[in-house]
Amino acid sequence: MEIKRETTVMVLTTDGKEIHKGDYVVFNASGRCHAGHFAGISKKGALIFDSVISGTDVTFHVMPKCIETIYKAEIKLSAESEEKNEI
């Protein structure tokens, strides 16, 4: 005989969609609006996010109880450089 216990942990958006590793999200927490790349759940239960700006090594953790609303997002960044004309 075998007893098998499985626990499934799912992170859901405010509108009920499942968030997977690699998804971009926007959320409100502690009176601020944040954007991040979902990276998983820490050992202490915090949600882990990476920066949406490529080339930066920014990771931040947010406890689920602090998140007021969260939604999946499609984030496209564009940067324009200003060229200075030399005379």
Side-chain angles (χ1 to χ4, degrees), residues 8-40:
T8 303
V9 177
M10 295 175 30
V11 180
L12 301 176
T13 62
T14 301
D15 55 352
K17 297 177 183 174
E18 187 175 358
I19 301 171
H20 301 281
K21 286 184 181 180
D23 287 343
Y24 287 103
V25 296
V26 292
F27 60 95
N28 291 327
S30 303
R32 294 188 172 107
C33 184
H34 305 272
H37 179 253
F38 182 63

